[in-house]
Amino acid sequence: MQIATQAEYDAAIDRIQALTGAPEGSPEEKELLKLVLAVEIWETKHRIG
């Protein structure tokens, strides 16, 4: 998963908030982990946060 635009970044942040607390081992947790990694990469590239 790769975030290419500010809009995708904003959507990923919203989705992370929605998925927070997902059960361990669930598909939602896997999606959450992928999103967190993608956001961290975006923030590193754009020096946000």
Side-chain angles (χ1 to χ4, degrees), residues 3 5-8 12 15 22 26 28 32 36 40-42 48:
I3 297 173
T5 66
Q6 182 68 46
E8 289 177 358
R15 185 67 178 147
S26 68
E28 291 82 7
L32 176 60
V36 167
E40 287 176 353
I41 292 169
W42 170 270
I48 298 173

Side-chain angles (χ1 to χ4, degrees), residues 3 9 12-13 16 34-44:
I3 297 173
Y9 172 82
I13 294 295
I16 286 169
K34 288 178 185 178
L35 284 168
V36 167
L37 179 59
V39 164
E40 287 176 353
I41 292 169
W42 170 270
E43 289 176 348
T44 299

